[in-house]
Coordinates of all heavy atoms in Angstrom, one line a residue:
M9 N -6.8 2.3 -16.7 CA -8.0 2.2 -17.5 C -9.2 1.8 -16.7 O -8.9 1.2 -15.6 CB -7.7 1.3 -18.7 CG -7.6 -0.2 -18.3 SD -7.1 -1.3 -19.8 CE -8.3 -1.0 -20.9
F10 N -10.3 2.0 -17.1 CA -11.5 1.4 -16.4 C -11.7 0.0 -16.7 O -11.4 -0.5 -17.9 CB -12.7 2.3 -16.8 CG -12.7 3.8 -16.4 CD1 -12.5 4.7 -17.3 CD2 -12.7 4.1 -15.0 CE1 -12.3 6.0 -16.8 CE2 -12.6 5.3 -14.5 CZ -12.5 6.3 -15.5
A11 N -12.3 -0.8 -15.9 CA -12.5 -2.2 -16.0 C -13.5 -2.4 -17.3 O -13.2 -3.3 -18.1 CB -13.1 -2.9 -14.8
V12 N -14.4 -1.6 -17.5 CA -15.3 -1.7 -18.6 C -14.6 -1.7 -19.9 O -15.0 -2.1 -20.9 CB -16.4 -0.6 -18.4 CG1 -16.0 0.8 -18.7 CG2 -17.6 -1.1 -19.3
Q13 N -13.5 -0.9 -20.0 CA -12.7 -0.7 -21.2 C -12.0 -2.1 -21.6 O -11.7 -2.3 -22.8 CB -11.6 0.3 -21.1 CG -12.2 1.7 -20.9 CD -11.1 2.7 -20.7 OE1 -10.6 2.7 -19.6 NE2 -10.7 3.4 -21.7
A14 N -11.9 -3.0 -20.6 CA -11.3 -4.3 -20.9 C -12.4 -5.4 -21.3 O -12.1 -6.5 -21.7 CB -10.6 -4.8 -19.7
H15 N -13.7 -5.0 -21.3 CA -14.8 -5.9 -21.5 C -14.5 -6.6 -22.9 O -14.3 -6.0 -23.9 CB -16.1 -5.2 -21.5 CG -17.2 -6.2 -21.7 ND1 -17.7 -7.1 -20.9 CD2 -18.0 -6.3 -22.9 CE1 -18.6 -7.7 -21.3 NE2 -18.8 -7.4 -22.6
G16 N -14.5 -8.0 -22.9 CA -14.4 -8.7 -24.2 C -12.9 -8.9 -24.6 O -12.7 -9.5 -25.5
H17 N -11.9 -8.4 -23.7 CA -10.4 -8.6 -24.0 C -9.8 -9.6 -23.1 O -10.3 -9.8 -22.0 CB -9.8 -7.3 -24.0 CG -10.2 -6.3 -25.0 ND1 -9.8 -6.2 -26.3 CD2 -11.1 -5.3 -24.9 CE1 -10.4 -5.3 -26.9 NE2 -11.2 -4.6 -26.0
D18 N -8.9 -10.3 -23.6 CA -8.1 -11.1 -22.7 C -7.2 -10.2 -21.7 O -6.8 -9.2 -22.2 CB -7.0 -11.9 -23.5 CG -7.7 -13.0 -24.2 OD1 -8.8 -13.6 -23.9 OD2 -7.2 -13.4 -25.4
I19 N -7.0 -10.7 -20.4 CA -6.3 -9.8 -19.4 C -5.3 -10.8 -18.9 O -5.5 -12.0 -18.5 CB -7.3 -9.4 -18.4 CG1 -8.4 -8.4 -18.9 CG2 -6.4 -8.8 -17.2 CD1 -9.4 -8.1 -17.9
Q20 N -4.1 -10.2 -18.9 CA -3.0 -11.0 -18.3 C -2.5 -10.2 -17.0 O -2.3 -9.0 -17.1 CB -1.7 -11.1 -19.4 CG -0.7 -12.0 -18.6 CD 0.4 -12.4 -19.6 OE1 0.6 -11.7 -20.6 NE2 1.0 -13.7 -19.3
T21 N -2.3 -10.9 -16.0 CA -1.9 -10.3 -14.7 C -0.5 -10.8 -14.4 O -0.1 -11.9 -15.0 CB -2.9 -10.6 -13.5 OG1 -2.8 -12.0 -13.3 CG2 -4.2 -10.0 -13.8
V22 N 0.2 -10.3 -13.4 CA 1.5 -10.7 -13.1 C 1.5 -12.2 -12.6 O 2.4 -12.9 -12.7 CB 2.1 -9.8 -12.1 CG1 1.5 -9.9 -10.7 CG2 3.6 -10.0 -12.0
E23 N 0.3 -12.6 -12.0 CA 0.2 -14.0 -11.5 C 0.3 -15.0 -12.6 O 0.6 -16.1 -12.4 CB -1.0 -14.1 -10.7 CG -1.0 -13.4 -9.3 CD -1.5 -12.0 -9.4 OE1 -1.8 -11.5 -10.5 OE2 -1.5 -11.3 -8.4
G24 N -0.2 -14.5 -13.9 CA -0.1 -15.6 -15.0 C 1.2 -15.5 -15.6 O 1.2 -16.2 -16.8
L25 N 2.2 -14.8 -15.3 CA 3.5 -14.8 -16.0 C 4.3 -16.1 -15.9 O 4.9 -16.6 -16.7 CB 4.3 -13.7 -15.6 CG 3.7 -12.2 -16.2 CD1 4.7 -11.2 -15.6 CD2 3.5 -12.2 -17.5
S26 N 4.2 -16.7 -14.6 CA 5.1 -17.8 -14.4 C 4.3 -19.1 -14.8 O 3.0 -19.0 -14.9 CB 5.4 -18.0 -12.9 OG 4.3 -18.1 -12.1
H27 N 5.0 -20.1 -15.0 CA 4.3 -21.4 -15.5 C 4.9 -22.6 -14.8 O 6.1 -22.7 -14.7 CB 4.6 -21.6 -16.9 CG 4.1 -20.4 -17.8 ND1 2.7 -20.4 -18.2 CD2 4.7 -19.5 -18.5 CE1 2.6 -19.3 -19.0 NE2 3.7 -18.7 -19.1
G28 N 3.9 -23.3 -14.1 CA 4.4 -24.5 -13.4 C 5.2 -24.1 -12.2 O 6.1 -24.9 -11.9
G29 N 5.0 -22.9 -11.5 CA 5.8 -22.6 -10.5 C 7.3 -22.0 -10.9 O 8.1 -21.6 -10.0
E30 N 7.6 -22.0 -12.1 CA 8.8 -21.5 -12.7 C 8.7 -20.0 -13.2 O 7.7 -19.8 -13.9 CB 9.3 -22.3 -13.8 CG 10.8 -22.0 -14.2 CD 11.4 -22.9 -15.2 OE1 11.1 -24.1 -15.1 OE2 12.0 -22.5 -16.1
L31 N 9.5 -19.1 -12.7 CA 9.4 -17.8 -13.0 C 9.6 -17.6 -14.5 O 10.5 -18.3 -15.1 CB 10.4 -16.9 -12.3 CG 10.2 -16.8 -10.7 CD1 11.4 -16.0 -10.1 CD2 8.9 -16.1 -10.4
A32 N 8.9 -16.6 -15.1 CA 9.2 -16.3 -16.5 C 10.5 -15.7 -16.6 O 11.1 -15.1 -15.5 CB 8.1 -15.3 -17.0
P33 N 11.3 -15.6 -17.7 CA 12.6 -15.0 -17.8 C 12.7 -13.6 -17.3 O 13.7 -13.3 -16.6 CB 12.9 -15.2 -19.3 CG 12.1 -16.3 -19.8 CD 10.9 -16.2 -19.0
L34 N 11.7 -12.7 -17.6 CA 11.7 -11.4 -17.1 C 11.6 -11.4 -15.6 O 12.3 -10.7 -15.0 CB 10.5 -10.6 -17.8 CG 10.5 -9.2 -17.4 CD1 11.6 -8.5 -17.9 CD2 9.1 -8.6 -18.0
Q35 N 10.8 -12.2 -15.0 CA 10.7 -12.2 -13.6 C 12.0 -12.7 -13.0 O 12.5 -12.1 -11.9 CB 9.6 -13.2 -13.2 CG 8.2 -12.7 -13.4 CD 7.2 -13.7 -13.1 OE1 7.3 -14.8 -13.6 NE2 6.3 -13.4 -12.2
A36 N 12.6 -13.6 -13.5 CA 13.9 -14.2 -13.0 C 14.9 -13.1 -13.1 O 15.7 -13.0 -12.2 CB 14.3 -15.4 -13.7
C37 N 15.0 -12.3 -14.2 CA 15.9 -11.3 -14.4 C 15.7 -10.2 -13.3 O 16.7 -9.4 -12.9 CB 15.8 -10.8 -15.8 SG 16.7 -12.0 -16.9
F38 N 14.4 -10.0 -13.1 CA 14.1 -8.8 -12.0 C 14.9 -9.3 -10.7 O 15.4 -8.5 -10.0 CB 12.7 -8.7 -11.8 CG 12.2 -7.4 -12.5 CD1 12.3 -7.3 -13.9 CD2 11.6 -6.4 -11.9 CE1 11.7 -6.2 -14.6 CE2 11.0 -5.3 -12.5 CZ 11.2 -5.2 -13.9
R39 N 14.8 -10.6 -10.4 CA 15.3 -11.1 -9.1 C 16.9 -11.1 -9.3 O 17.5 -10.5 -8.3 CB 14.8 -12.6 -8.9 CG 15.5 -13.1 -7.6 CD 14.9 -14.4 -7.2 NE 15.2 -15.4 -8.3 CZ 14.6 -16.6 -8.3 NH1 13.8 -17.0 -7.4 NH2 14.9 -17.4 -9.3
T40 N 17.4 -11.5 -10.4 CA 18.8 -11.5 -10.5 C 19.4 -10.2 -10.5 O 20.5 -9.9 -9.8 CB 19.3 -12.2 -11.9 OG1 18.7 -13.6 -11.9 CG2 20.8 -12.2 -12.1
H41 N 18.8 -9.2 -11.1 CA 19.3 -7.9 -11.2 C 18.9 -6.9 -10.0 O 19.1 -5.6 -10.0 CB 19.0 -7.2 -12.5 CG 19.7 -7.8 -13.6 ND1 20.9 -7.4 -14.1 CD2 19.5 -8.9 -14.5 CE1 21.4 -8.2 -15.1 NE2 20.4 -9.0 -15.3
H42 N 18.2 -7.5 -9.1 CA 17.7 -6.7 -7.9 C 17.0 -5.5 -8.4 O 17.1 -4.3 -7.9 CB 19.0 -6.2 -7.0 CG 19.7 -7.4 -6.6 ND1 19.4 -8.3 -5.7 CD2 21.0 -7.7 -6.9 CE1 20.3 -9.2 -5.5 NE2 21.3 -8.8 -6.3
A43 N 16.0 -5.7 -9.3 CA 15.2 -4.7 -9.9 C 13.9 -4.4 -9.2 O 13.0 -3.7 -9.7 CB 14.9 -5.1 -11.3
L44 N 13.9 -4.8 -7.9 CA 12.9 -4.3 -7.0 C 13.3 -4.1 -5.7 O 14.3 -4.8 -5.3 CB 11.6 -5.2 -7.2 CG 11.9 -6.6 -6.7 CD1 10.9 -6.9 -5.4 CD2 11.7 -7.6 -7.8
Q45 N 12.6 -3.2 -4.9 CA 12.9 -3.1 -3.5 C 11.6 -3.5 -2.7 O 11.4 -4.4 -2.3 CB 13.5 -1.7 -3.3 CG 14.9 -1.7 -3.7 CD 15.5 -0.4 -3.5 OE1 15.1 0.3 -2.5 NE2 16.5 0.0 -4.3
C46 N 10.6 -2.4 -2.7 CA 9.4 -2.6 -1.9 C 8.5 -3.5 -2.7 O 7.5 -4.2 -2.1 CB 8.7 -1.3 -1.5 SG 7.9 -0.5 -2.8
G47 N 8.5 -3.5 -4.1 CA 7.8 -4.3 -4.9 C 6.4 -3.7 -5.3 O 5.7 -4.3 -6.0
Y48 N 6.1 -2.5 -4.7 CA 4.9 -1.9 -5.1 C 4.6 -1.8 -6.6 O 3.5 -2.0 -7.1 CB 4.8 -0.6 -4.4 CG 3.4 0.1 -4.5 CD1 2.3 -0.3 -3.6 CD2 3.3 1.1 -5.4 CE1 1.0 0.3 -3.8 CE2 1.9 1.7 -5.5 CZ 0.9 1.4 -4.7 OH -0.4 1.9 -4.9
C49 N 5.6 -1.4 -7.3 CA 5.5 -1.0 -8.7 C 5.8 -2.3 -9.6 O 5.5 -2.3 -10.9 CB 6.6 0.1 -9.1 SG 8.3 -0.5 -9.0
T50 N 6.2 -3.4 -9.0 CA 6.8 -4.4 -9.8 C 5.9 -5.1 -10.7 O 6.1 -5.4 -12.0 CB 7.4 -5.5 -8.9 OG1 8.3 -4.9 -8.1 CG2 8.3 -6.5 -9.7
A51 N 4.6 -5.4 -10.3 CA 3.7 -6.0 -11.4 C 3.4 -5.1 -12.5 O 3.3 -5.6 -13.5 CB 2.3 -6.2 -10.4
G52 N 3.3 -3.9 -12.3 CA 3.1 -3.0 -13.4 C 4.3 -3.0 -14.3 O 4.1 -3.0 -15.6
F53 N 5.5 -3.0 -13.9 CA 6.7 -3.0 -14.7 C 6.7 -4.3 -15.5 O 7.2 -4.4 -16.7 CB 8.0 -2.9 -13.9 CG 8.4 -1.5 -13.6 CD1 8.0 -0.9 -12.5 CD2 9.0 -0.7 -14.6 CE1 8.4 0.5 -12.3 CE2 9.4 0.6 -14.4 CZ 9.1 1.3 -13.3
L54 N 6.4 -5.4 -14.7 CA 6.6 -6.8 -15.4 C 5.6 -6.9 -16.5 O 5.8 -7.4 -17.6 CB 6.4 -7.8 -14.4 CG 7.5 -8.1 -13.4 CD1 7.1 -9.0 -12.3 CD2 8.8 -8.7 -14.2
I55 N 4.3 -6.4 -16.4 CA 3.2 -6.5 -17.3 C 3.7 -5.5 -18.6 O 3.5 -5.9 -19.6 CB 1.9 -6.2 -16.8 CG1 1.5 -7.3 -15.8 CG2 0.8 -6.0 -17.8 CD1 1.4 -8.6 -16.4
T56 N 4.1 -4.3 -18.2 CA 4.5 -3.4 -19.3 C 5.5 -4.0 -20.1 O 5.6 -4.0 -21.4 CB 4.9 -2.0 -18.7 OG1 3.7 -1.4 -18.0 CG2 5.3 -1.1 -19.7
L57 N 6.5 -4.5 -19.5 CA 7.8 -5.0 -20.2 C 7.5 -6.3 -20.9 O 8.0 -6.6 -22.0 CB 8.9 -5.3 -19.2 CG 9.7 -3.9 -18.8 CD1 10.6 -4.3 -17.6 CD2 10.4 -3.4 -20.0
T58 N 6.5 -7.2 -20.4 CA 6.1 -8.4 -21.1 C 5.5 -8.0 -22.5 O 5.8 -8.6 -23.5 CB 5.1 -9.2 -20.2 OG1 5.9 -9.7 -19.0 CG2 4.6 -10.4 -20.9
D59 N 4.6 -7.0 -22.4 CA 3.9 -6.6 -23.6 C 5.0 -6.0 -24.6 O 4.9 -6.4 -25.8 CB 2.8 -5.6 -23.4 CG 2.1 -5.2 -24.6 OD1 1.4 -6.0 -25.2 OD2 2.3 -4.0 -24.9
F60 N 5.8 -5.1 -24.1 CA 6.8 -4.4 -24.9 C 7.7 -5.4 -25.5 O 8.0 -5.3 -26.8 CB 7.5 -3.5 -24.0 CG 8.7 -2.9 -24.7 CD1 8.6 -2.0 -25.7 CD2 10.0 -3.3 -24.4 CE1 9.7 -1.4 -26.4 CE2 11.1 -2.7 -25.1 CZ 11.0 -1.8 -26.1
L61 N 8.2 -6.4 -24.8 CA 9.2 -7.3 -25.3 C 8.6 -8.3 -26.3 O 9.2 -8.8 -27.2 CB 10.0 -8.1 -24.2 CG 10.8 -7.3 -23.4 CD1 11.4 -8.0 -22.2 CD2 12.0 -6.6 -24.2
S62 N 7.3 -8.5 -26.1 CA 6.6 -9.4 -27.1 C 6.4 -8.7 -28.6 O 6.3 -9.5 -29.5 CB 5.1 -9.8 -26.7 OG 4.2 -8.7 -26.7
H63 N 6.4 -7.4 -28.5 CA 6.5 -6.7 -29.8 C 7.8 -6.2 -30.3 O 8.0 -5.8 -31.4 CB 5.5 -5.5 -29.7 CG 4.1 -5.7 -29.4 ND1 3.6 -5.8 -28.1 CD2 3.2 -6.1 -30.2 CE1 2.3 -6.2 -28.3 NE2 2.1 -6.3 -29.5
N64 N 8.8 -6.2 -29.3 CA 10.2 -5.6 -29.6 C 11.2 -6.5 -28.9 O 11.8 -6.2 -27.9 CB 10.3 -4.2 -29.2 CG 11.5 -3.6 -29.7 OD1 12.5 -4.3 -30.3 ND2 11.7 -2.3 -29.6
P65 N 11.5 -7.7 -29.4 CA 12.3 -8.6 -28.7 C 13.8 -8.2 -28.7 O 14.5 -8.9 -27.9 CB 12.1 -9.9 -29.5 CG 11.7 -9.6 -30.9 CD 10.9 -8.2 -30.7
D66 N 14.2 -7.2 -29.5 CA 15.6 -7.0 -29.5 C 15.6 -5.3 -29.4 O 16.2 -4.6 -30.3 CB 16.2 -7.3 -30.9 CG 17.8 -7.1 -30.9 OD1 18.4 -6.8 -29.8 OD2 18.3 -7.2 -32.0
P67 N 15.2 -4.9 -28.3 CA 15.2 -3.3 -28.0 C 16.5 -2.8 -27.6 O 17.5 -3.4 -27.1 CB 14.3 -3.3 -26.8 CG 14.6 -4.4 -26.0 CD 14.8 -5.6 -27.0
T68 N 16.7 -1.5 -27.9 CA 17.8 -0.7 -27.4 C 17.5 -0.3 -26.0 O 16.3 -0.4 -25.5 CB 18.1 0.5 -28.2 OG1 16.9 1.4 -28.1 CG2 18.4 0.2 -29.6
E69 N 18.4 0.1 -25.2 CA 18.2 0.6 -23.8 C 17.2 1.8 -23.9 O 16.4 1.9 -23.0 CB 19.6 0.9 -23.1 CG 19.3 1.3 -21.7 CD 20.5 1.6 -20.9 OE1 21.5 0.9 -21.1 OE2 20.6 2.6 -20.2
Q70 N 17.5 2.7 -24.8 CA 16.6 3.9 -25.0 C 15.1 3.5 -25.3 O 14.2 4.0 -24.6 CB 17.1 4.8 -26.0 CG 16.3 6.1 -26.2 CD 16.3 6.9 -24.9 OE1 17.4 6.9 -24.2 NE2 15.2 7.5 -24.6
Q71 N 14.9 2.4 -26.1 CA 13.5 2.0 -26.2 C 12.8 1.4 -25.0 O 11.7 1.6 -24.8 CB 13.5 0.9 -27.4 CG 13.9 1.4 -28.8 CD 14.0 0.5 -29.8 OE1 14.6 -0.6 -29.5 NE2 13.7 0.7 -31.0
V72 N 13.7 0.7 -24.3 CA 13.1 0.2 -22.9 C 12.8 1.3 -22.1 O 11.7 1.3 -21.4 CB 14.2 -0.8 -22.3 CG1 13.7 -1.2 -20.8 CG2 14.4 -2.1 -23.1
R73 N 13.6 2.3 -22.0 CA 13.4 3.5 -21.1 C 12.2 4.1 -21.6 O 11.3 4.5 -20.8 CB 14.5 4.3 -21.0 CG 15.7 3.8 -20.3 CD 16.8 4.8 -20.2 NE 17.9 4.3 -19.4 CZ 18.0 4.2 -18.0 NH1 17.1 4.7 -17.4 NH2 19.1 3.5 -17.6
Q74 N 11.9 4.3 -22.9 CA 10.8 4.9 -23.4 C 9.4 4.1 -23.1 O 8.5 4.7 -22.8 CB 10.9 5.1 -24.9 CG 9.8 5.7 -25.6 CD 9.6 7.2 -25.2 OE1 10.6 7.9 -24.9 NE2 8.4 7.7 -25.1
A75 N 9.5 2.8 -23.2 CA 8.5 1.9 -22.8 C 8.0 2.0 -21.5 O 6.8 1.8 -21.2 CB 8.8 0.5 -23.3
L76 N 8.9 2.5 -20.6 CA 8.6 2.5 -19.1 C 8.2 3.8 -18.7 O 8.0 4.0 -17.5 CB 9.9 2.0 -18.4 CG 10.3 0.4 -18.5 CD1 11.5 0.2 -17.8 CD2 9.1 -0.4 -18.3
T77 N 8.0 4.8 -19.6 CA 7.8 6.1 -19.1 C 6.4 6.3 -18.3 O 6.3 7.2 -17.6 CB 7.7 7.2 -20.4 OG1 6.7 6.7 -21.3 CG2 9.1 7.2 -21.0
G78 N 5.6 5.3 -18.5 CA 4.3 5.4 -17.8 C 4.3 4.7 -16.5 O 3.3 4.7 -15.8
N79 N 5.4 4.1 -16.2 CA 5.6 3.3 -14.9 C 6.4 4.1 -13.9 O 7.6 4.5 -14.3 CB 6.2 1.9 -15.1 CG 5.2 1.1 -15.9 OD1 5.0 1.3 -17.1 ND2 4.7 0.2 -15.3
L80 N 6.1 4.2 -12.7 CA 6.8 5.0 -11.8 C 7.4 4.0 -10.6 O 6.6 3.2 -10.2 CB 6.0 6.1 -11.0 CG 5.4 7.1 -11.9 CD1 4.6 8.1 -11.2 CD2 6.6 7.8 -12.5
C81 N 8.6 4.2 -10.2 CA 9.2 3.5 -9.1 C 9.9 4.4 -8.1 O 10.7 5.2 -8.6 CB 10.3 2.4 -9.7 SG 11.1 1.5 -8.3
R82 N 9.4 4.4 -7.0 CA 10.0 5.4 -5.9 C 11.2 4.8 -5.3 O 11.9 5.5 -4.6 CB 9.0 5.6 -4.9 CG 7.6 6.2 -5.3 CD 7.7 7.6 -5.7 NE 8.1 8.3 -4.5 CZ 7.7 9.5 -4.3 NH1 7.0 10.1 -5.1 NH2 8.2 10.2 -3.2
C83 N 11.6 3.5 -5.6 CA 12.8 2.9 -4.8 C 14.0 2.7 -5.6 O 15.1 3.0 -5.1 CB 12.3 1.5 -4.3 SG 10.9 1.6 -3.2
T84 N 13.9 2.2 -6.9 CA 15.0 1.6 -7.5 C 15.9 2.6 -8.3 O 17.0 2.3 -8.6 CB 14.5 0.4 -8.4 OG1 13.9 1.0 -9.5 CG2 13.8 -0.6 -7.7
G85 N 15.3 3.6 -8.9 CA 16.2 4.5 -9.7 C 16.2 4.0 -11.2 O 16.9 4.6 -11.9
Y86 N 15.5 2.8 -11.5 CA 15.2 2.5 -12.8 C 16.4 1.7 -13.4 O 16.3 0.9 -14.4 CB 14.7 3.5 -13.8 CG 13.4 4.1 -13.3 CD1 13.6 5.2 -12.6 CD2 12.4 3.6 -13.6 CE1 12.4 5.9 -12.2 CE2 11.1 4.3 -13.1 CZ 11.1 5.4 -12.4 OH 10.1 6.0 -12.1
K87 N 17.7 2.0 -13.0 CA 18.8 1.3 -13.6 C 18.8 -0.1 -13.7 O 18.9 -0.8 -14.7 CB 20.1 1.8 -12.8 CG 21.4 1.2 -13.4 CD 22.6 1.7 -12.6 CE 23.9 1.2 -13.1 NZ 24.1 -0.3 -12.8
N88 N 18.5 -0.8 -12.4 CA 18.4 -2.3 -12.5 C 17.2 -2.8 -13.1 O 17.2 -3.9 -13.7 CB 18.3 -2.7 -11.0 CG 19.7 -2.4 -10.3 OD1 20.6 -1.8 -10.8 ND2 19.7 -2.9 -9.0
I89 N 16.1 -2.0 -13.2 CA 15.0 -2.4 -14.0 C 15.2 -2.5 -15.5 O 14.9 -3.6 -16.1 CB 13.8 -1.5 -13.9 CG1 13.3 -1.7 -12.4 CG2 12.6 -1.8 -14.7 CD1 12.2 -0.6 -11.9
V90 N 15.9 -1.5 -16.0 CA 16.4 -1.5 -17.4 C 17.4 -2.6 -17.7 O 17.3 -3.3 -18.7 CB 16.9 -0.1 -17.8 CG1 17.5 -0.2 -19.2 CG2 15.8 0.9 -17.7
E91 N 18.3 -2.9 -16.8 CA 19.2 -3.9 -17.0 C 18.6 -5.3 -16.9 O 18.8 -6.2 -17.8 CB 20.2 -3.9 -15.9 CG 21.3 -2.8 -16.0 CD 22.3 -2.7 -14.7 OE1 22.1 -3.5 -13.9 OE2 23.0 -1.7 -14.8
A92 N 17.6 -5.5 -16.0 CA 16.8 -6.8 -16.1 C 16.0 -7.0 -17.4 O 16.0 -8.0 -18.0 CB 15.9 -6.7 -15.0
A93 N 15.5 -5.8 -18.0 CA 14.7 -6.0 -19.2 C 15.7 -6.4 -20.3 O 15.4 -7.2 -21.2 CB 14.0 -4.6 -19.5
M94 N 16.8 -5.7 -20.4 CA 17.8 -6.0 -21.4 C 18.3 -7.4 -21.4 O 18.4 -8.1 -22.3 CB 18.8 -4.9 -21.4 CG 18.5 -3.5 -21.7 SD 17.9 -3.3 -23.3 CE 19.2 -3.5 -24.4
D95 N 18.6 -7.8 -20.1 CA 19.0 -9.3 -19.9 C 18.0 -10.2 -20.4 O 18.2 -11.2 -21.1 CB 19.6 -9.4 -18.5 CG 20.3 -10.8 -18.3 OD1 20.7 -11.3 -19.3 OD2 20.3 -11.2 -17.2
A96 N 16.7 -10.0 -19.9 CA 15.6 -10.9 -20.2 C 15.5 -11.0 -21.8 O 15.2 -12.1 -22.3 CB 14.3 -10.3 -19.6
A97 N 15.5 -9.9 -22.4 CA 15.4 -9.8 -23.8 C 16.5 -10.7 -24.5 O 16.2 -11.5 -25.4 CB 15.4 -8.4 -24.4
R98 N 17.7 -10.5 -24.0 CA 18.9 -11.3 -24.6 C 18.5 -12.8 -24.3 O 18.8 -13.7 -25.2 CB 20.1 -10.9 -23.9 CG 20.8 -9.7 -24.5 CD 22.2 -9.6 -23.9 NE 22.2 -9.3 -22.4 CZ 22.1 -8.1 -22.0 NH1 22.2 -7.0 -22.8 NH2 22.1 -7.9 -20.7
Q99 N 18.1 -13.1 -23.1 CA 17.9 -14.6 -22.8 C 16.7 -15.2 -23.6 O 16.9 -16.2 -24.1 CB 17.6 -14.7 -21.2 CG 18.8 -14.5 -20.5 CD 18.4 -14.7 -18.9 OE1 17.5 -15.5 -18.7 NE2 19.2 -14.0 -18.0
M100 N 15.7 -14.3 -23.8 CA 14.6 -14.9 -24.6 C 15.0 -15.0 -26.0 O 14.5 -16.0 -26.8 CB 13.3 -14.0 -24.4 CG 12.9 -14.1 -23.0 SD 11.2 -13.3 -22.8 CE 11.9 -11.6 -22.7
R101 N 15.8 -14.1 -26.6 CA 16.2 -14.2 -28.0 C 17.0 -15.5 -28.1 O 16.9 -16.2 -29.1 CB 17.0 -13.0 -28.5 CG 16.2 -11.8 -28.7 CD 17.0 -10.8 -29.5 NE 18.3 -10.4 -29.0 CZ 18.4 -9.6 -27.9 NH1 17.4 -8.9 -27.4 NH2 19.7 -9.2 -27.5
A102 N 18.0 -15.7 -27.2 CA 18.8 -16.9 -27.2 C 18.0 -18.2 -27.2 O 18.5 -19.2 -27.7 CB 19.8 -16.8 -26.1
K103 N 16.9 -18.1 -26.4 CA 16.2 -19.4 -26.3 C 15.0 -19.4 -27.3 O 14.2 -20.4 -27.5 CB 15.5 -19.4 -25.0 CG 16.5 -19.7 -23.8 CD 15.7 -19.7 -22.5 CE 16.7 -19.9 -21.4 NZ 16.0 -19.8 -20.1
G104 N 15.0 -18.3 -28.2 CA 13.9 -18.3 -29.2 C 12.4 -18.1 -28.6 O 11.4 -18.7 -29.2
E105 N 12.4 -17.5 -27.4 CA 11.1 -17.3 -26.7 C 10.6 -16.0 -27.0 O 11.3 -15.0 -27.1 CB 11.4 -17.5 -25.2 CG 11.7 -18.9 -24.8 CD 11.9 -18.9 -23.2 OE1 11.5 -18.0 -22.5 OE2 12.4 -20.0 -22.7
A106 N 9.2 -16.0 -26.9 CA 8.7 -14.6 -26.9 C 8.3 -14.3 -25.4 O 8.3 -15.1 -24.5 CB 7.2 -14.7 -27.8
A107 N 8.1 -13.0 -25.2 CA 7.8 -12.5 -23.7 C 6.6 -13.1 -23.3 O 6.5 -13.2 -22.0 CB 7.9 -11.0 -23.6
A108 N 5.5 -13.2 -23.9 CA 4.3 -13.8 -23.4 C 3.7 -14.8 -24.2 O 3.9 -14.8 -25.3 CB 3.4 -12.6 -23.1
Ligands
FES14 FE1 9.4 0.3 -4.4 FE2 9.3 0.3 -7.2 S1 10.4 -1.1 -5.9 S2 8.2 1.6 -5.9

């Protein structure tokens, strides 16, 4: 999107996901599940999934894959990314947390 399209809206970046130096559950799950290699795509995946999980805290794997159709990763093959998302959703439900 163009920057002008965001005028007047709140913007969340990957830098704003962690709190007090502690990784957000989704970020921690990316690390645990080795859901990144070069990291070029990771910020986009984290922001997409943060928004998706905030609206759908109990997704199916197919819904996660559908949510990620606009994100490309040349390294991981997506399997670990989807596993990280599913695990993060489980952890956040167990703790009663929203994604963002
Ligand atoms: Fe390298 Fe996704 S981890 S492009």
